[in-house]
Amino acid sequence: MNAAPRIQTTAGRLAALGFADGARAERLLDELGPEAVGDFALLDDIVRAADPDLALTTLSRLVERDASVLGAFRDDPDLRRRVLGVFGLSAALGEHVVRHPECLPSIRSPRWPTLGDLREEMLVAVGADPDAAEPVAEPATEGVAAGPGTSGPAMEALRVAYRNRLLHLATRDVTGECTLAEGAAALADLASAALEAALAIARAEVADAGDVRLAVIGMGKCGARELNYISDVDVVFVAEPKEGVDETKALQTATRLAQGMMRACSASTPEGALWEVDANLRPEGKMGPLVRSMESHLAYFRRWAKTWEFQALLKARPVAGDLELGQEYVAAVNELVWQAAARPNFVEDVQAMRRRVEAHVPAGEADRQIKLGPGGLRDIEFAVQLLQLVHGRSDPLLRRRATLSALAALSRGGYVGRDDAKALAEAYTFLRQVEHMLQLHRLRRTHMVPSDTADLRRLGRGLGMTTDPVGEFTTTWKRHALEVRRLHEKLFYRPLLQAVARLPETEARLSTAAATARLEALGYADPEGALRHIAALTSGVSRRAAIQRTLLPVMLGWFADAPDPDAGLLGFRQVSDKLGTTPWYLRLLRDETAAADRLARLLGTSKYVTGLLLHAPEAVAMLGSPAELAVRPAATLAAEAAAAVGRYAEDAETAVAAVRALRRRELFRTACADLSGLIDIEEVGQALSSLNDVTIQAALDTAINKVTLERRAPFPTRMAVIAMGRLGGLESSYASDADVMFVHAPLPGAVERDAAVAAHAVAEETRRLLALPAPDPPLQIDAGLRPEGRQGPLVRTIASYRAYYDRWASHWEAQALLRARFCAGDAELGREFVALVEPLRYPAEGISADAVREIRKLKARMEAERLPRGADPALHTKLGRGGLSDVEWVAQLIQLRHAGAVPVLRTTRTLDALRAAAGEGLLDPADEEVLAQAWLFASRIRDALMLVRGRAADSIPTPVKERVLLARALGYPPEGTEDFVEDYRRATRRARTVVERVFYED
């Protein structure tokens, strides 16, 4: 090119051409000399580099080292373009060229060598004979005995030769002469050749190296021939003794060889290290032996291996050492790999793998992680591998190692839609290209998109984005990430719809058998039934079916993540059958992702919630936001209930039915908030107790109104309902009855017997109205704690209560009254009753030693007699050792002994009493913590049993499936069921120890 005027190289012009620092670029060009300043072809190639400043800086350093480079570049424009392209992307490879300018001629050829050529090149570099059956590197120093540390020069030579070829590959990459798949395969072949050379170095250091056959099995990206520029190289070692050699001795030799090979790759030298050789995918991981025989590998995989280990073996390929032995190994394990989906623990392992992928994302990095973050490479790889495991059992064409070829095979087989496969392949290719450029810069293992603008600019320009490199790169990256985030819909669930519904798709469809296999692998116990539900929801041309076809692919994934996917899908179909034609319902689920997600998870967790929802499907509307699930104030509920009673004043049953419907709605709200983790177990007890108070008040008002109308005379007495038991303690559970006592006080001038008859009629009517058969959960009124129990009158006057307690009250009645509080009716009368029982439950001098002994005897008799036959005392949450009863009796004994003198103990709530006792020095704080933990755990389990099963229970169930569902509802992972049981046993064991010491003073 003809020389141009000098003004063309000013700092401003250079900055306009793309240099970040035009003044510095001008100075460096001047230092290159007049010929470089006027060489616009050279300048053009520098400017085209991803980072012109970096390319020019590296070129300047290279010219300082070897001035002939500029002439070589003028003579060979292709070489110049290749080298400057790499200089603009990789500071590390630029540094390598500066140190070894003699490497430049080796990259003139665009042709990439074969694996055999690479192997020969690496072996020659370390002084080994490529034609030998087991090549051995030359010792570092003639006459020096071989041993660890004598192979330094060979290691350095290996690193130089490896990086020369890495530079060659990078030049082909930046000039677009190879695709991503070709480049990744070339990197894997180069790694294989380097491993072979490293093994030759190890053979030079290990005596008796010829006594054993050692195969190096590539795993992960190395095995799949989709390696990164810098990555740990995952391997597994398998060895067999040669004829006549003891197996133990041979395995020891093979272990030294494997260790020497790993050291030859990862040891630090003046030329740096290659990469880490990671053997942690071997059986038992880091805890297992580094090298095993073939028989030992297979024995482990047949008996002990987890699904993720078979997933890893999808990529297994012989890469170095005895390739014949390696092929035998791969053939043997492949027979096991393709049966993994039939294993009984496959679903649990898959769910654990999903969580492991998410857990590996460091806090604060997820948004910039292209490998492990949402919408990253691991999402695609995981999904493709899982589909291979599920469908590869019956379709050998899916048995591919590399992700892109496996994805293409899944598409050809109809397991993934063509458009979906294309979108995912594009996303995968883009993310891998970004990963390569990130790693090329410093030759460091990284998957983090930088936040620095200059780094983002280099990435964008490296991808050919020149107008707005940073903006274009960020937009493209986010678009691909969002596409990948729909992974489960695209790869797992949408094809299921095609298998059962007449969708307007031209793509191949999953067969019924393939769809069944996929559903089973995703955790559906009845895949045929699931397909019927899917077909019912999505078939047809109605607007409802169209929206369900949009919703279901996502919701099927949410159901699969729930404890009981089948129940979730069935519940969704039932709710949709009731509400499917309601415009707001479909609009809510379509537009409010959080509502649809929450609905799916609730239906797949709780039969109780599902039952409530089926009788009041409009309650779905409150799932739109956490604010809708907030517990409503008791005063608000009371006003609403009173309005309902007033509306139906002439019809008692209709009035109470309206109040019970309100209760059903609020039970649903509380259960949803509970299962969503928005409220804790204490708040649940408070909410349920307040709701029961409101319901009882409304039923009492209705009953009084009815009795008054029937009498055709004013109601002759005041009435109050006193809450007892868990209701009195504001600790109601979903399954709790309402333990109460009725008290009345005749109005002045009223006939006492007439007042008693009227009060009794109201009490009976209140109980009847709340127990009427209805779709709503009943609220059973239990008055068994009244004086004389079921043999005594249902309602007493306050004077009668006083007379009874003054004369006949027993220790257990005083103990029961610790929970007594006013909950409904005449508030003034309620206060009178509470004041009446204060001296009894909080005796000023405490209780006598005889009374303490009686209470302990009663507790011991309860433990012996009331526990249901066959129940495991360690797993019964109410009466079992360390369970609710144990903890409550400790609190109540402390109250009976000390509340008369310590007012802070005067509470109806168990945990508040324990906290107060600890605060007053009456209970060791450590003991209080142990007791509270056990009480909370047992309370959560009792509530979870009702929520999961839809019916009350007090014991942790024995059937494994029920235990799993219960553990999942409590937040344990699928594989954590035994952890859940052991956690409960541990908590109650510790609590029982405290009970025996504090309550029994044992």
Side-chain angles (χ1 to χ4, degrees), residues 693-694 696-698 700 719-723 821-827 830:
D693 286 356
V694 168
I696 294 170
Q697 179 69 65
L700 182 69
M719 284 194 71
V721 182
I722 306 301
R821 69 172 179 84
F822 166 73
C823 75
D826 188 290

Side-chain angles (χ1 to χ4, degrees), residues 652-723:
E653 293 186 1
T654 302
V656 172
V659 173
R660 288 178 62 178
L662 179 153
R663 179 171 180 264
R664 176 186 58 210
R665 184 194 69 203
E666 296 307 315
L667 286 172
F668 176 77
R669 190 191 310 273
T670 302
C672 292
D674 184 3
L675 289 168
S676 300
L678 301 175
I679 54 176
D680 62 28
I681 190 65
E682 286 191 84
E683 293 170 315
V684 170
Q686 174 79 53
L688 295 176
S689 300
S690 297
L691 179 59
N692 289 343
D693 286 356
V694 168
T695 306
I696 294 170
Q697 179 69 65
L700 182 69
D701 290 344
T702 303
I704 290 174
N705 185 60
K706 180 181 179 182
V707 169
T708 300
L709 291 174
E710 289 174 348
R711 285 168 49 87
R712 298 183 180 181
F715 193 64
T717 188
R718 295 181 297 148
M719 284 194 71
V721 182
I722 306 301

